[in-house]
Structures are given as structure tokens and as C-alpha cells.
Amino acid sequence: MKKLRIGLVGAGRMGAFHAETIEKRLFGAELYAVADPVSGAAEKLIHTLGSSAKEYDNPSDMFKDPDIDGVVIASPARTHAENIIRAAQNGKAVFCEKPMAVTIEEADRVIQTVNEYNVPLQVGFNRRFSKDFRSAHHEILQGDLGTPQLLRSLTRDPVLADPAPVPEWTIFLETLIHDFDVLNYLNPGALPVEVYAVADALVRPDFKERGFLDTAVVTIKYDNGAIATAEANFQAVYGYDVRAEAFGSKGMMTIGSIRESNMTRYNKDGVSYNTLRYDQHLLYDAYVEELASFVNAVQNNEKTEVGGEEARMALLIARACIESVVHKKPIQIEHTVSNLV
């Protein structure tokens, strides 16, 4: 089977990691091109990898390259939907970092376009590809947890850099969007029906007047009766903290760990262990596995594991959170046929 020739959009932090994965960690794919509108960014990444990939300044030009089979989109979140649509219109299979879109209207356009052009789409909800999250999901599907009753997911970033360039509502649209997908994943077949969110700037209160929020807690009610909470904070001084919990009529599951390894030290200062401080370290295997899954799905003409519908469901919760914070009240989520394209 020939290698899948991939074009990468975005040569920044996440794009560079995906480029290295494609170039060095996946047997079934090759990095064929890199596109980034920032002058010199694509060239620098290609040189760093020692790759022979082609360089583009304009993603639209790369999408038109007939030799490219699929694209990986790691551009800024607000460009995702338009890049997916243009890639799909050129017949390219698409892997896109989360979020797929930042409005429901954009999400609907994306889903309509990939369906119209019959191209695969996978969205980068990497926690689904982490062994512990995946194991919990399958056991819940098998009924080992019984009836899901209480669910919890959290994301705490290790350090908050300069908040100035962070777009408004990032905590819901780009951070907690992972947790919303996790909660849906751990409550398979159920639909979120009510959302209540509170958020504030507790790490950097001096930026609150600019619309910046760095701390949030969300309550979600599902149509099967389960109640879920999601929380995020942009500065956990002890490390990168991603965990989840599922409680049901037959017991409980805890998922995720902040530990660097299973080594624990015991000495005169007490008991301690090292923690991970970077998402690409904590979720390294999941980041690699999600791209491997995408390549396998495209090569074998199979359905991707997390597509537009799942991404839209998480976005519905994120948009309801924004509305809840603005209006300071619970928000009902209405599911119609058009909601579930």
C-alpha cells in the first residue's frame, strides 16, 4: 500500500509536532508539503525536520496540489472551518485540530461540505486515543459501570503566558472543548440537554475587563439522567493536569494521571514524584495514535473514529456555556434533525 501523501497547514507548536509524527513516526504516511502564511515558517520547519516536503505560503494553493491525498490542519482555531471546507472541495481527506469550528453555523457548513464531496474528516480530540480514556469508554459500553450517574472531566494547564493574544471565550472553545467531548465519550448514546457555566479571571484578574477568562466550571445534564461537571484553569503550578471520573450504578472509574512515571520517592521531606508539564509529553501516545488512526481510515476507506458530528456535539456545549455565562442562567440544548446532521 502506498504511503498517504499529507499536506500540513500550520507550522507552529502543534503543527511542528504533527509534522514530526508524519515524517518520523508513521509508516503509512509521508510529509509531502507544508503551508503557512507566516513568511519563512514552513521553510524553517521543513529544514528542521530534514524533510524534502514542498513549501507553500498559501494553504489554498496547497489544497489544489493533485499529488496530495490528505491534509492535517493545525492553523489557528478561527481558521479551521474555512480550511476544512476548502480542502474538502479539492477532494482531500482532512484531519483537523480541535475545535472543528467556533460557531454552529460554521460546523454545519463543514459537515455539509465533507458529506457533499464525500471526503473523510477526523477532528483532533486526542483523549479518545489515550489508552486509559479508551479503556473506560469500552467498559462503559459493555455495561461494566452500570448506569452512568456522575461524570467529571478537568483540564488544568501548567502555566499561563501572556493573556493578551488569547481570543475571547478560548477557555470554552479551545480548552474545555476537550472535556466536553470526553464527557460525551464517557456517556455513549446520551445527549446533553442543559448547561450551566460560571467563569472568571482568577489567575490574571487584571485582564478580566478585556473579556479574558482563565477559570471555569460547567455543569451538564444529559437525557439519560447523568450529571456531569467540567472544569478548567490556565495555571496549575504542579503540572499539566488532565483527568476524568465516571461514577455509575455498578462502581467508579478514574482516568488520567499527572505523573511522569510510576517512580515514587520517600525521604526526609516526605513522599513525592515528578509531574509532567507539557501536553505533548502527557498525551504523546494519544497524539501519535490519532494521526495513525486517520491514516489507516483513509487508506482502508473506513469511517474515522471522531468526525464532524462528534465535534459539533462538543461545540453545542461550548456555545451553550458562552450563552450561560453571558446571561447567568442555565441554557437548554435543543436537538433537532438538523442538529444531528
Side-chain angles (χ1 to χ4, degrees), residues 20 23 37 67 88 146 155 197 205:
E20 187 175 6
E23 185 78 2
D67 293 324
T155 299

Side-chain angles (χ1 to χ4, degrees), residues 207-223:
F207 273 79
K208 183 176 181 179
E209 290 185 1
R210 306 187 196 185
F212 176 74
L213 300 169
D214 55 42
T215 307
V217 177
V218 179
T219 302
I220 306 165
K221 293 182 180 180
Y222 285 87
D223 64 354

Side-chain angles (χ1 to χ4, degrees), residues 17-81:
F17 183 89
H18 285 322
E20 187 175 6
T21 294
I22 297 163
E23 185 78 2
K24 300 181 179 181
R25 302 173 188 128
L26 300 183
F27 294 110
E30 65 173 297
L31 185 65
Y32 189 83
V34 178
D36 196 305
V38 176
S39 178
E43 179 184 13
K44 180 180 178 182
L45 176 57
I46 292 168
H47 176 74
T48 299
L49 292 172
S51 172
S52 60
K54 296 168 70 173
E55 174 192 344
Y56 286 92
D57 292 328
N58 190 333
S60 292
D61 293 335
M62 188 184 75
F63 296 150
K64 296 174 185 176
D65 189 326
D67 293 324
I68 291 176
D69 303 308
V71 298
V72 170
I73 296 171
S75 55
R78 273 65 179 172
T79 68
H80 286 178

Side-chain angles (χ1 to χ4, degrees), residues 12-244:
R13 185 185 74 89
M14 202 63 243
F17 183 89
H18 285 322
E20 187 175 6
T21 294
I22 297 163
E23 185 78 2
K24 300 181 179 181
R25 302 173 188 128
L26 300 183
F27 294 110
E30 65 173 297
L31 185 65
Y32 189 83
V34 178
D36 196 305
V38 176
S39 178
E43 179 184 13
K44 180 180 178 182
L45 176 57
I46 292 168
H47 176 74
T48 299
L49 292 172
S51 172
S52 60
K54 296 168 70 173
E55 174 192 344
Y56 286 92
D57 292 328
N58 190 333
S60 292
D61 293 335
M62 188 184 75
F63 296 150
K64 296 174 185 176
D65 189 326
D67 293 324
I68 291 176
D69 303 308
V71 298
V72 170
I73 296 171
S75 55
R78 273 65 179 172
T79 68
H80 286 178
E82 193 57 39
N83 278 329
I84 296 171
I85 288 169
R86 286 184 292 172
Q89 290 171 337
N90 282 278
K92 311 303 184 189
V94 180
F95 175 96
C96 183
E97 268 298 331
K98 57 75 197 170
M100 176 182 75
V102 296
T103 69
I104 301 303
E105 293 74 20
E106 282 183 342
D108 288 341
R109 285 178 56 219
V110 167
I111 294 171
Q112 180 181 356
T113 303
V114 298
N115 287 341
E116 178 182 350
Y117 287 86
N118 194 30
V119 297
L121 169 65
Q122 182 171 322
V123 182
F125 287 115
N126 57 19
R127 295 179 201 179
R128 290 179 179 241
F129 296 88
S130 177
K131 289 181 180 179
D132 45 0
F133 283 90
R134 178 167 291 207
S135 294
H137 169 74
H138 287 309
E139 290 196 20
I140 292 169
L141 273 178
Q142 292 170 182
D144 295 350
L145 187 69
T147 303
Q149 295 172 347
L150 295 172
L151 305 167
R152 183 186 184 213
S153 181
L154 64 86
T155 299
R156 297 172 185 162
D157 293 340
V159 62
L160 174 61
D162 180 12
V166 178
E168 189 177 21
W169 304 119
T170 288
I171 197 164
F172 297 122
L173 295 172
E174 299 185 46
T175 301
L176 278 165
I177 195 87
H178 270 304
D179 299 274
F180 302 150
D181 182 66
V182 163
L183 294 170
N184 293 340
Y185 187 57
L186 296 178
N187 196 13
L191 295 176
V193 294
E194 183 181 282
V195 170
Y196 179 65
V198 291
D200 209 335
L202 302 182
V203 181
R204 290 296 303 270
D206 51 323
F207 273 79
K208 183 176 181 179
E209 290 185 1
R210 306 187 196 185
F212 176 74
L213 300 169
D214 55 42
T215 307
V217 177
V218 179
T219 302
I220 306 165
K221 293 182 180 180
Y222 285 87
D223 64 354
N224 66 345
I227 301 172
T229 57
E231 66 169 81
N233 182 280
F234 285 170
Q235 187 157 288
V237 297
Y238 55 87
Y240 190 69
D241 193 358
V242 170
R243 289 175 288 128

